[in-house]
Amino acid sequence: MSPRGRTGSEGPAAGIRRAVAAAADDVLALGHRIHAHPEVAWEEEKAARWTAGALDDLGYTVRTGTAGLPTAFTATTGTGPLHIGICAEYDALPGLGHACGHNIIASAAVGAAAGLAPFADELGLTVTVFGTPAEEGGGGKILMLERGAFDGVHAAMMVHPGPVDVAEADPFAVAHLKVRYHGKAAHAAAYPEQGRNAADAFTLAQVAIGLLRQQLPGGTRVHGMMTRGGEAPNAIPELTEGRWYVRAGTLEHLDRLRPRVERCFEAGALATGCELEIEPESPPYSEFRNDAGLLAVYRRTAEALGRRFDTGSPAARMNRASTDMGNVSRVLPAIHPYLGIGSLPAVNHQKEFAAHCVGAEADRAVLDGATAMALTTAAVAADAGERARLIG
């Protein structure tokens, strides 16, 4: 891929479109390659290397291991005073591959970078692409944020695939919990009275959570799974483990909900005589705060490309999924729109959706998302009011 391709005195918008189109084959090949080699959170070695390499080919200055995270990176071009970040995700789901389409996110980010590379200095921009690992339950962006990776960035954006286009992100805040019960093993037929059943503890906790749901506020979610249930059917389980998510509308609401759910797990331990451990998998993910100015520009830009936003059908509920980009949005202006890939009836986190994350509709979404992010960045850079607002 090459950042060159500008001609004569054409405006940046036309040049950006041309640059994205020129890079299209390489951008789409990157997304297909990531899709074919899914890697789960914190293990995205190939995807991070391929994405960073594509940006290096575009002339970006790449730094790997950002914030002490082996599969994180930054790639920067331009020296202008307005600093815009574009976030790339590339982790897959265990057992489901790219059923949330993070291969599309990564390739769209690279496509946007291709569009902006020839024009960053002319537009007074510094552009940084952030390679952000472990969105699916690790919180890579949160750690990068806490460790200073986003310092000096004035605004950030990314796009995410879904069944339909949705402009405004409205995700839940979420706490990711690892739950473990320690009991005592015994022969289940000969000496059951000598055991303490860690699987029973989980059963009781899940019953308690099921009963709690009637009293939970609307718009909350509690869900999870047991990942280890014992070792043999003729042995009282001495160790069980699970992963549970607690979601609420805001971090503040989450802080009130989480102790109620944890008491359900405590009830399982109390009733069975087992010991309980609860630990977070990551810092809590925040709700998302959409920047109205950036979102309005993105909406106009995407509509001009032929995208049509869904305003309330059941298929649009992907915008309620949680994301660690929410934590970024609490610190700097940000947007997180969704790109429809024509997958219905398949929806995110289904194998059928993963199959739709490559193909003609997915490819169109990648290039439209790349172009829309690049043109949105150029538009706010050229708008004196927006530029001043973002720089502060």
Side-chain angles (χ1 to χ4, degrees), residues 13-237:
I16 285 169
R17 286 172 179 260
R18 187 195 305 277
V20 173
D25 288 348
D26 291 331
V27 166
L28 296 176
L30 170 67
H32 294 180
R33 192 179 188 190
I34 293 171
H35 185 275
H37 298 85
E39 299 165 298
V40 298
W42 304 122
E43 299 178 14
E44 319 94 325
E45 295 178 5
K46 293 176 182 177
R49 184 171 70 252
W50 294 335
T51 307
L55 291 159
D56 182 72
D57 290 345
L58 288 168
Y60 281 67
T61 300
V62 176
R63 295 180 175 85
T64 59
T66 300
L69 305 176
T71 54
F73 68 82
T74 60
T76 301
T77 194
T79 57
L82 177 60
H83 193 169
I84 301 295
I86 299 171
C87 291
E89 297 173 2
Y90 29 69
D91 60 323
L93 287 157
L96 292 172
H98 278 289
C100 211
H102 291 190
N103 62 302
I104 290 174
I105 300 172
S107 52
V110 172
L116 289 167
F119 304 100
D121 283 324
E122 176 185 338
L123 290 165
L125 284 169
T126 298
V127 178
T128 296
V129 178
F130 292 88
T132 65
E135 190 276 337
E136 295 286 1
K141 293 183 195 64
I142 303 173
L143 298 177
M144 294 172 73
L145 189 68
E146 291 175 345
R147 297 173 186 179
F150 287 88
D151 289 357
V153 178
H154 297 116
M157 66 182 71
M158 60 175 285
V159 290
H160 194 298
V164 295
D165 284 72
V166 182
E168 187 170 351
D170 186 26
F172 291 102
V174 63
H176 305 91
L177 305 177
K178 289 184 178 179
V179 180
R180 184 178 296 111
Y181 287 107
H182 296 273
K184 184 178 181 181
H187 194 292
Y191 310 107
E193 74 282 357
Q194 294 191 27
R196 295 194 303 276
N197 196 313
D200 287 351
F202 246 119
T203 298
L204 289 164
Q206 291 182 82
V207 170
I209 290 169
L211 295 171
L212 175 66
R213 286 192 175 104
Q214 185 182 28
Q215 281 74 48
L216 293 181
T220 58
R221 302 282 191 275
V222 183
H223 50 92
M225 58 181 286
M226 187 186 293
T227 57
R228 180 175 180 177
E231 309 305 326
N234 61 348
I236 300 294

Side-chain angles (χ1 to χ4, degrees), residues 223-292:
H223 50 92
M225 58 181 286
M226 187 186 293
T227 57
R228 180 175 180 177
E231 309 305 326
N234 61 348
I236 300 294
E238 67 176 345
L239 175 65
T240 53
E241 298 175 325
R243 300 177 64 205
W244 282 78
Y245 288 6
V246 183
R247 303 185 198 252
T250 66
L251 284 177
E252 292 73 21
H253 291 157
L254 184 63
D255 286 342
R256 294 195 291 270
L257 174 61
R258 179 173 165 176
R260 300 177 68 185
V261 175
E262 291 184 351
R263 284 195 289 272
C264 293
F265 291 110
E266 292 166 5
L270 179 64
T272 60
C274 294
E275 297 178 1
L276 169 66
E277 294 179 41
I278 300 178
E279 59 179 316
E281 288 187 346
S282 72
Y285 290 16
S286 170
E287 73 277 9
F288 196 89
R289 299 178 178 178
N290 292 277
D291 182 80

Side-chain angles (χ1 to χ4, degrees), residues 326-390:
N327 299 68
V328 176
S329 77
R330 289 172 67 100
V331 177
L332 60 147
I335 56 172
H336 184 285
Y338 296 86
L339 293 167
I341 61 169
S343 65
L344 290 174
V347 295
N348 298 67
H349 291 208
Q350 294 179 331
K351 289 183 179 180
E352 295 83 357
F353 187 85
H356 281 277
C357 288
V358 289
E361 284 293 318
D363 289 351
R364 179 193 165 212
V366 168
L367 298 179
D368 284 352
T371 304
M373 285 194 291
L375 291 176
T376 297
T377 299
V380 297
D383 185 310
E386 279 295 284
R387 169 183 283 271
R389 178 180 73 86
L390 294 174

